Amino acid sequence: MTSITVHGARPYAVEVGPGVASQLADLAAGRLVAMVHPPTLTTVADRLASRLDRVVTIPVPDAEAAKTPQVLARCWQELAEAGLTRTDLVVGLGGGATTDLAGFLAATWMRGIDVVQVPTTVLAMADAAVGGKTGINLAAGKNLVGAFHEPLAVLCDTDLLATLPTREVRSGLAEVLKCGFIDDPTILEEVTADPAEALDVTSPTFVDILQRAIAVKAHVVAGDLRESTSHGDRVGRERLNYGHTLAHAIEAHEHFTWRHGEADSVGMVFAAELSRRTLGLADAVVDLTRSVLASVGLPTTFDEVAWTTLRDTMSLDKKCRVEPATGRRILRFVGISAPGRVTMIEDPAEDLLAECFATLAP
Ligand code: GLY
């Protein structure tokens, strides 16, 4: 078991390893707990709840269907009926959508109460549950309503990953590998050395790369909780979006049937090609990008005919800047000049973007 501290105004621990969810009982001692979870995790929720003094469990829909104003309003109602006070506790048990909802529920209840996140997917452990971003979706867009609300603690219990489908593990590994490219190249070395071990959630390799990825996220958010604007090689929390500009467009293009990590995998190949052309990223690292992602079964290609649509969708990306004089939307990408050395790529030429996309052809 490893404990990673996220420094900041109120430092908190991210506990990683088998069995760490049992620490919930100590964190909750003397408090009423509202445990938010999807129906698929009812057995786990009941098991954790049986070790708590006072608890109400709140089932919410699976995945993004949980992140709606209607579900949030129902949760508020349940907290009111249970009589949750300012000193009580919300627990988010589930994937990133559940922890986003539970975090926002805690952020808004009585102007903010404690939340302990117990993520149950690799993606949520490596990304969503750490760093205090919380929120819900509106019809107008994802995460349009939210708050920064840092948790009291995050319990990444790797035992909870045992039943996770391989596709979900793969998708989470894309975010883990992203941390390798932006900060900790040892992750890339470990996955390259043994991709099968990296996919095995019970292996020491898996636990090590997960801990490393969480340490990257902890370090990045401690330095820039509120995601300040990045320029040149002064890149804060935005660096966590490596590969994401194209990935978000791919997710929309595929009507959200792709897992986030799958889209990010293709997005990272694109970002590496762009980095090669604008930042001098070595050919060997671009090759490594393709090979390490493919080694764990992640996609690295995309149909060339989709470019025009994807390019238009990228203009809507949150990282875009609008040129005041012309209203033109300027694309911004997170790039790397070497593993661990991040630089923003602003307003790359259109033909360069098209050229990079063409390299993704199957
Ligand atoms: N998922 C990106 C971030 O937490 O900033």
Side-chain angles (χ1 to χ4, degrees):
M1 188 199 98
T2 295
S3 183
I4 297 162
T5 302
V6 183
H7 296 283
R10 192 176 76 152
Y12 58 94
V14 185
E15 309 290 349
V16 194
V20 298
S22 63
Q23 294 181 28
L24 186 58
D26 282 344
L27 290 163
R31 305 186 195 210
L32 174 58
V33 173
M35 190 181 296
V36 177
H37 69 87
T40 43
L41 290 170
T42 301
T43 311
V44 179
D46 289 347
R47 181 159 45 81
L48 292 178
S50 70
R51 298 181 198 141
L52 305 177
D53 303 331
R54 291 184 301 140
V55 59
V56 50
T57 52
I58 306 180
V60 295
D62 254 320
E64 293 294 305
K67 289 177 60 175
T68 67
Q70 294 75 18
V71 173
L72 178 64
R74 181 169 60 73
C75 291
W76 282 328
Q77 187 59 36
E78 299 233 20
L79 298 195
E81 283 166 18
L84 219 81
T85 67
R86 295 194 90 157
T87 53
D88 289 326
L89 183 68
V90 171
V91 172
L93 170 72
T98 310
T99 59
D100 278 3
L101 171 75
F104 193 53
L105 179 65
T108 49
W109 185 249
M110 297 192 174
R111 299 197 180 89
I113 69 167
D114 283 343
V115 61
V116 172
Q117 302 287 21
V118 187
T120 59
T121 64
V122 181
L123 191 60
M125 290 183 185
D127 191 28
V130 180
K133 277 189 181 175
T134 72
I136 57 167
N137 304 328
L138 299 182
K142 285 179 77 173
N143 297 321
L144 284 185
V145 181
F148 288 102
H149 187 65
E150 292 187 280
L152 179 69
V154 183
L155 306 177
C156 299
D157 188 334
T158 50
D159 284 345
L160 297 177
L161 301 174
T163 54
L164 204 63
T166 306
R167 188 176 174 196
E168 284 292 337
V169 177
R170 271 198 191 109
S171 173
L173 277 188
E175 291 297 314
V176 171
L177 286 164
K178 176 199 76 182
C179 292
F181 287 111
I182 63 170
D183 201 276
D184 182 356
T186 303
I187 294 173
L188 308 176
E189 287 162 22
E190 288 196 46
V191 178
T192 302
D194 200 335
E197 284 263 305
L199 278 164
D200 174 359
V201 297
T202 64
S203 77
T205 298
F206 173 83
V207 176
D208 188 66
I209 59 174
L210 177 66
Q211 286 168 350
R212 285 177 177 277
I214 293 170
V216 170
K217 173 112 198 208
H219 165 71
V220 170
V221 299
D224 181 22
L225 175 68
R226 288 176 182 270
E227 196 165 299
S228 56
T229 303
S230 304
H231 287 295
D233 55 8
R234 287 183 39 209
V235 188
R237 188 167 183 158
E238 272 193 322
R239 71 179 53 218
L240 297 170
N241 290 321
Y242 183 62
H244 284 46
T245 312
L246 182 66
H248 289 152
I250 289 176
E251 283 178 280
H253 186 268
E254 297 301 316
H255 306 289
F256 298 95
T257 55
W258 278 41
R259 310 303 305 154
H260 173 66
E262 293 165 347
D264 199 32
S265 177
V266 178
M268 283 191 280
V269 178
F270 181 80
E273 289 286 359
L274 192 57
S275 298
R276 182 201 322 242
R277 286 162 177 78
T278 56
L279 303 175
L281 181 65
D283 293 350
V285 181
V286 182
D287 292 347
L288 170 70
T289 303
R290 284 192 167 86
S291 62
V292 75
L293 291 165
S295 75
V296 291
L298 284 162
T300 55
T301 63
F302 207 80
D303 189 353
E304 215 172 338
V305 298
W307 173 241
T308 313
T309 315
L310 294 175
R311 172 64 189 85
D312 287 349
T313 309
M314 285 201 293
S315 297
L316 306 174
D317 187 78
K318 284 202 285 271
K319 285 186 299 305
C320 276
R321 297 271 169 271
V322 179
E323 201 169 57
T326 61
R328 188 170 74 89
R329 293 183 69 85
I330 296 172
L331 285 184
R332 300 167 69 251
F333 294 85
V334 180
I336 56 171
S337 56
R341 289 182 43 201
V342 179
T343 300
M344 291 307 291
I345 303 169
E346 313 232 1
D347 205 11
E350 288 298 327
D351 55 352
L352 202 58
L353 292 173
E355 185 182 307
C356 291
F357 191 76
T359 71
L360 304 183

